[in-house]
Amino acid sequence: MAETTYAPPADIDALRSRALIAGAAGLVACGIGFIVDRDHFFRSWLIAYLLFLGIALGSMGLLMIQHLSGGAWGVFRRIFEASSRTLPLLAILFLPIVLGMGTLYSWTHPEHVQADEVLQHKAVYLNTGFFLLRAFIYFAGWILIAWTMTRWSRRQDEGDMSVNLRLQYLSGGGIVFYAFAATFAGIDWVMSINPHWFSTLFGFIFIGGHGLAALSFTIVISAFLVRRAPMEQILKPGHFHDLGKLSLAFVMLWAYFNFSQYMLVYAANLVEEVPYFVARISHGWQFLAIFLVLFQFAVPFLLLLSRDLKRMPHRLVWVSLALLLVRYIDLFMLVSPEFASTGANLHMLEGEHASGFFVHWLDLAAPLAVGGLWLWMFLTQLAQRPLVAFADPYLREALQSSGGH
Amino acid sequence: MAPSEHPHDQTTAAGERPWFRAAPPVLGPGHTFESVTEKISAIVMTRRTPVGWFLGFAIAFAFLMLLNVTIGHLLLTGIGIWGNNIPVGWAFDIINFVWWIGIGHAGTLISAILLLFRQQWRTSINRFAEAMTLFAVACAAMFPLLHTGRPWLAAYWLFPYPNTMNLWPQFRSPLIWDVFAVSTYFTVSLLFWYTGLVPDMATLRDRAKSRSAAVIFGVLSLGWRGSARHWQRYEMAYLLLAAISTPLVLSVHSVVSFDFAVSVLPGWHATIFPPYFVAGAIYSGFAMVMTLAVPLRKFYGLEDFITMRHIHNMTKVMLVTGMIVAYGYANEAFFAWYSANPYEQYMMANRMGGPYAVMYWSLIAINAVMIQLFWFRRVRDNVMLLFVLSLFVNVGMWLERFIIIVTSLHRDFLPSSWDMYAPTRWDFAMFTGTIGLFLSLFFLFIRFLPAIAMFEMRTLVEEETHELERPGMV
């Protein structure tokens, strides 16, 4: 053990520079988009941003669960940690959303609030100052948790085992903070795009999406690492099996939450709630809805039932990559039908409007920009620490994991 | 039993893992195959039935008789003996139904999901938790059946069967989904429980001293010989049953929540209801397992089998699910305001400050505030305290259902229709009667069947022994 440093493989650097180039290219494209089509830029940026924020936050959530439960997936701790350390970058990448508040959120315009009784009622909560303060609190909390976890994890590596319990305590409180902050972030950043709509289940849907994105991303990175030293010695089919099973659980959870929400809103048919779904099952969006049912539930569900698939990283990785793509499309579905194909927020237009299905070229550029930069940051962080949390108290159990029955 | 007797802690003493606060073992030290079997089967086969058992059974049986009297009176008189009346057309019958069904969920979670997650600590509590599930579902099913007033016609009202009048139940009503959800739940739980019992029945057959016991257990064990082929098929069947049961943990209480959420009543129509009900169900179910496990391990000296590990883990499950429930309360309150809907806002104001506010704040005090104690290891170590807290959780979850159901109904949309609800003595007689039924069945179960899975405990002996010899990996 003493000779092994668990240093990351050398070709991680090549990947890093490629990510940075992709990010820079995407950023240039987004810059052009910002100039020529500002409305679409903000919408696309928000969607892409939510995907990578979800990976980072979901990873932090899984990390905290791992500290609390001592799960046998401690071998993935460094990936979770590196992912959660991208949060400072994500705080910076949030700035375009702040800049675009006027485009994204109709409640930022006093004249809309004046004309709308519901918005007047909500103005105590939905106003620019409080929105920014809340965003600051979410990020401050999340970054503080990620930073403290990293600091204590480093001390654990140096042999200071007194941090083990403190990591558990922090995770306990951290998970409660994360759940509440993520719920309200979901309300602020996504739900309030349609300021009349509300669904009490939305927080769970938002958090469940984080979990699925984080697991899929972890599988993708692990499938890359398992073909290289040092992780080829460490990661066993059983570990992928565990992640695969968790992915399956989150796929089912996604279907369960979304079915519950859809069925209850559809059946009740209330004027405050149902327009949200009416917009998503008409004007071309219904095909995307069916696509999501098939590819965020039916197909991955059937595939992930296979034991062999879950144990073979080179195959599982394709399912996970597809799931990441579908996560992006799901977030697109969450946001885009609230906008006209011109990019304008429907809730700011005069009179009744419906959105027809559209995709904009910025919907490809924005994930390239955010994703490239984010991946670069992630890989930079991953390269900084040994790939195995060798001082983890549960590592012995984790390494012995021979996988399910 | 001091935790330091565990192999993990021995390495602690040697200084190898000084920072590792080891979990207590799942099986007390020093057990062999023989001692495990002997200790568990003795309760059924050889030990004298303790006086306490007779005393407890007598009390439970008295309440069971009260249930019989209540049902008799109900059938002769009609459901007018209950306190529900318009606008509260649904009260104790549905409150207790949801409460009992919820309690059953811990059994399914323990037997199915924890098995799939390879959580060994499930082993000693799964058998009686599954029994608890069956008895709880039986108690639950009584309420809607008796609420029909004429349960002998219930099949005609509840089940879709082809009849000459061409009358069908309303398939779009969640009540009919409930019929399917609950009957599936009962069937699968029964199969699971019985399948798990088969090898142990054979053990009891082989150890039986009297001819009659040998015959009874012989029949019940379905010709089990314990051959390798038997075991191989058995393991496969058990795993498949676990996989089938897993969706039931979510689906049953989700469907129960649909009973409310599909309606358009403020306080009922909330999309969060399915997961929030499921979490509440598991929370209350684990509280009931705790309520049953603490006296069981004490009176039968089973501390080696139901160890502090089980107590800790059950408390942690209660903490997690209780926190989800608390999240649900906060969520409901926030969205009542955020909805900008005056009816939603009134519903919440009425819960917090209306005539039933004491019950609302009691449930908050229990389910959101008191459970924070479970964060502390000193609380998790204190078995007696946990027993008391688990009783509180049972009460808190009952109050939650009362508040959800009664406060939304008694303030109808039109103030002229407002009314108060108060249960009658027959409501209480029926409720305590089902508790009597539940406990009577449970007393009979621990006396006549092995309350802990012997064959599964024997696999733990093997693993505990191997753990001692296992070389360090890191």
Side-chain angles (χ1 to χ4, degrees):
Chain A
M1 184 192 115
E3 310 87 74
T4 335
T5 54
Y6 301 116
D11 50 353
I12 229 174
D13 281 334
L15 203 61
R16 251 179 72 199
S17 15
R18 261 179 261 165
L20 191 60
I21 292 165
L27 216 50
V28 170
C30 282
I32 296 168
F34 179 75
I35 294 162
V36 303
D37 207 342
R38 199 159 295 178
D39 285 358
H40 274 300
F41 164 75
F42 288 128
R43 180 190 55 78
S44 304
W45 187 273
L46 174 67
I47 299 167
Y49 178 78
L50 288 172
L51 176 69
F52 294 96
L53 179 77
I55 297 175
L57 288 179
S59 300
M60 195 168 81
L62 291 170
L63 176 66
M64 292 190 283
I65 292 174
Q66 199 264 326
H67 280 304
L68 285 174
S69 70
W73 17 303
V75 281
F76 303 107
R77 226 181 90 183
R78 288 297 189 236
I79 300 177
F80 297 152
E81 285 179 353
S83 218
S84 63
R85 284 202 302 273
T86 61
L87 280 164
L89 174 74
L90 285 162
I92 296 168
L93 295 180
F94 186 71
L95 292 177
I97 297 168
V98 175
L99 217 61
M101 276 176 74
T103 309
L104 293 168
Y105 307 111
S106 63
W107 49 261
T108 52
H109 298 277
E111 68 274 16
H112 284 284
V113 178
Q114 286 307 315
D116 190 328
E117 230 176 278
V118 171
L119 288 193
Q120 282 169 30
H121 171 80
K122 295 186 185 188
V124 189
Y125 182 81
L126 293 181
N127 63 68
T128 311
F130 194 24
F131 177 94
L132 294 176
L133 176 68
R134 284 195 303 272
F136 177 78
I137 293 170
Y138 309 146
F139 279 111
W142 290 331
I143 291 173
L144 185 69
I145 294 168
W147 182 76
T148 317
M149 292 263 221
T150 303
R151 207 163 63 101
W152 289 349
S153 162
R154 188 166 283 135
R155 279 175 48 191
Q156 192 183 49
D157 283 2
E158 289 159 1
D160 177 5
M161 292 306 160
S162 66
V163 297
N164 288 339
L165 273 180
R166 272 192 271 162
L167 276 168
Q168 285 195 5
Y169 297 145
L170 176 66
S171 301
I175 225 143
V176 175
F177 175 81
Y178 160 64
F180 276 97
T183 301
F184 283 102
I187 296 169
D188 291 359
W189 303 343
V190 183
M191 193 190 280
S192 79
I193 296 174
N194 179 345
H196 282 226
W197 182 67
F198 61 92
S199 166
T200 45
L201 189 54
F202 194 76
F204 279 1
I205 291 181
F206 203 60
I207 292 170
H210 293 176
L212 184 56
L215 278 169
S216 307
F217 179 74
T218 306
I219 291 173
V220 171
I221 291 296
S222 305
F224 169 80
L225 291 174
V226 76
R227 307 221 311 258
R228 293 159 176 81
M231 294 309 269
E232 60 182 356
Q233 306 290 330
I234 307 275
L235 289 175
K236 296 285 182 302
H239 296 122
F240 286 94
H241 195 174
D242 283 343
L243 286 191
K245 279 196 274 191
L246 281 171
S247 296
L248 176 62
F250 272 91
V251 163
M252 290 196 283
L253 218 53
W254 178 86
Y256 168 64
F257 289 158
N258 281 277
F259 169 76
S260 300
Q261 179 176 268
Y262 180 79
M263 194 275 288
L264 291 173
V265 171
Y266 184 86
N269 202 16
L270 292 175
V271 71
E272 302 125 313
E273 296 179 336
V274 84
Y276 175 86
F277 281 116
V278 171
R280 282 159 179 78
I281 53 171
S282 58
H283 296 95
W285 294 105
Q286 68 269 36
F287 301 109
L288 197 60
I290 293 166
F291 173 89
L292 284 171
V293 172
L294 288 177
F295 290 97
Q296 193 155 341
F297 175 62
V299 173
F301 171 77
L302 291 173
L303 286 175
L304 286 171
L305 283 178
S306 156
R307 180 176 188 271
D308 288 347
L309 175 92
K310 280 180 287 200
R311 295 177 75 86
M312 281 188 255
H314 61 282
R315 292 209 189 145
L316 183 63
V317 68
W318 291 108
V319 179
S320 298
L321 278 170
L323 277 173
L324 280 173
L325 179 67
V326 177
R327 276 304 308 146
Y328 176 66
I329 296 171
D330 189 29
L331 290 165
F332 179 78
M333 182 67 149
L334 225 50
V335 173
S336 291
E338 306 296 339
F339 293 83
S341 53
T342 58
N345 185 321
L346 291 176
H347 307 280
M348 285 188 229
L349 300 174
E350 294 291 322
E352 293 279 314
H353 290 275
S355 158
F357 177 76
F358 67 89
V359 183
H360 195 263
W361 63 268
L362 272 164
D363 290 321
L364 300 175
L368 193 68
V370 181
L373 292 176
W374 185 85
L375 192 64
W376 166 77
M377 179 72 168
F378 167 80
L379 292 170
T380 309
Q381 293 299 333
L382 188 69
Q384 279 179 359
R385 310 276 313 276
L387 282 180
V388 177
F390 48 82
D392 187 293
Y394 299 102
L395 190 67
R396 194 183 292 188
E397 282 75 14
L399 290 177
Q400 279 172 348
S401 165
S402 54
H405 313 248
Chain B
M1 168 208 51
S4 63
E5 288 160 25
H6 186 62
H8 273 319
D9 287 296
Q10 282 165 15
T11 54
T12 305
E16 194 197 334
R17 300 167 104 187
W19 29 264
F20 188 80
R21 193 157 72 173
V26 284
L27 176 65
H31 275 289
T32 62
F33 290 163
E34 177 62 25
S35 70
V36 168
T37 311
E38 175 56 36
K39 187 140 192 190
I40 299 171
S41 66
I43 297 170
V44 179
M45 311 298 298
T46 51
R47 264 170 73 168
R48 273 182 61 116
T49 310
V51 183
W53 185 90
F54 284 107
L55 198 68
F57 181 71
I59 296 170
F61 195 72
F63 278 100
L64 175 58
M65 290 304 106
L66 179 65
L67 178 67
N68 282 344
V69 171
T70 312
I71 293 174
H73 182 48
L74 180 85
L75 296 184
L76 290 172
T77 315
I79 57 166
I81 64 169
W82 289 346
N84 18 340
N85 209 337
I86 301 300
V88 187
W90 230 19
F92 259 44
D93 46 339
I94 189 75
I95 297 167
N96 297 333
F97 168 76
V98 179
W99 190 70
W100 277 121
I101 285 278
I103 283 170
H105 277 62
T108 325
L109 181 97
I110 290 168
S111 43
I113 293 189
L114 296 187
L115 178 76
L116 294 181
F117 279 180
R118 292 180 274 133
Q119 295 293 310
Q120 285 172 342
W121 62 275
R122 65 178 277 288
T123 302
S124 64
I125 54 174
N126 72 333
R127 171 74 48 76
F128 74 83
E130 285 167 26
M132 181 194 82
T133 298
L134 290 175
F135 305 153
V137 175
C139 290
M142 294 203 145
F143 287 97
L145 285 180
L146 290 171
H147 194 189
T148 65
R150 279 168 284 174
W152 53 92
L153 292 178
Y156 160 75
W157 283 320
L158 297 176
F159 285 100
Y161 78 98
N163 55 71
T164 50
M165 293 173 287
N166 210 14
L167 285 172
W168 297 91
Q170 170 59 283
F171 286 106
R172 279 178 291 182
S173 159
L175 297 182
I176 193 77
W177 311 343
D178 238 358
V179 174
F180 289 103
V182 173
S183 49
T184 310
Y185 187 41
F186 187 79
T187 314
V188 174
S189 302
L190 184 67
L191 277 176
F192 205 176
W193 181 68
Y194 190 77
T195 309
L197 268 169
V198 167
D200 279 1
M201 297 284 200
T203 305
L204 292 182
R205 171 198 65 200
D206 298 342
R207 298 175 77 90
K209 298 276 192 312
S210 72
R211 175 77 191 145
S212 57
V215 170
I216 291 169
F217 286 119
V219 171
L220 291 174
S221 63
L222 306 176
W224 179 267
R225 287 287 175 281
S227 74
R229 181 177 289 178
H230 278 186
W231 279 113
Q232 193 235 346
R233 288 187 179 156
Y234 179 84
E235 291 284 337
M236 179 59 82
Y238 203 63
L239 204 61
L240 284 175
L241 274 171
I244 293 171
S245 304
T246 300
L248 289 173
V249 178
L250 290 178
S251 70
V252 179
H253 228 66
S254 296
V255 172
V256 170
S257 81
F258 291 158
D259 289 349
F260 306 102
V262 163
S263 69
V264 288
L265 217 52
W268 286 11
H269 178 68
T271 49
I272 201 175
F273 259 35
Y276 159 62
F277 264 51
V278 169
I282 295 166
Y283 172 57
S284 68
F286 269 85
M288 188 57 97
V289 176
M290 185 73 85
T291 307
L292 297 173
V294 170
L296 184 70
R297 77 197 275 273
K298 176 101 185 111
F299 293 129
Y300 285 100
L302 297 173
E303 283 92 344
D304 276 1
F305 298 155
I306 304 172
T307 66
M308 285 314 291
R309 167 90 75 99
H310 300 94
I311 305 282
H312 283 179
N313 286 359
M314 288 194 283
T315 315
K316 287 177 188 169
V317 174
M318 285 192 330
L319 177 61
V320 171
T321 48
M323 287 300 284
I324 298 175
V325 171
Y327 171 98
Y329 300 148
N331 193 298
E332 278 183 317
F334 175 77
F335 276 102
W337 174 81
Y338 184 83
S339 71
N341 177 325
Y343 293 100
E344 292 280 342
Q345 285 164 11
Y346 177 75
M347 174 277 295
M348 198 37 82
N350 182 44
R351 278 186 192 179
M352 290 177 168
Y356 297 106
V358 175
M359 300 176 86
Y360 178 78
W361 291 111
S362 309
L363 84 89
I364 296 289
I366 294 170
N367 294 340
V369 179
M370 186 199 81
I371 57 153
Q372 306 305 332
L373 287 172
F374 295 156
W375 287 102
F376 301 100
R377 187 164 167 121
R378 280 177 60 190
V379 174
R380 295 199 297 267
D381 275 333
N382 188 337
V383 179
M384 269 321 293
L385 178 64
L386 287 175
F387 177 70
V388 175
L389 294 183
S390 75
L391 290 174
F392 270 105
V393 172
N394 287 321
V395 173
M397 283 310 289
W398 189 88
L399 287 173
E400 182 203 288
R401 276 68 172 251
F402 184 94
I403 284 295
I404 290 175
I405 289 155
V406 175
T407 60
S408 281
L409 287 174
H410 88 122
R411 291 289 181 251
D412 211 335
F413 287 100
L414 287 177
S416 60
S417 312
W418 287 4
D419 205 351
M420 288 295 290
Y421 166 75
T424 64
R425 70 182 81 162
W426 293 107
D427 279 307
F428 283 110
M430 176 106 183
F431 178 44
T432 49
T434 50
I435 295 176
L437 170 66
F438 177 81
L439 290 177
S440 302
L441 288 168
F442 201 79
F443 273 112
L444 291 174
F445 162 70
I446 52 179
R447 173 62 190 79
F448 291 107
L449 290 171
I452 296 176
M454 289 184 276
F455 75 96
E456 289 196 63
M457 291 304 285
R458 291 195 292 261
T459 63
L460 287 187
V461 173
E462 179 95 334
E463 277 160 28
E464 289 282 299
T465 325
H466 277 190
E467 202 160 86
L468 283 172
E469 297 154 3
R470 198 168 70 189
M473 283 284 290
V474 181

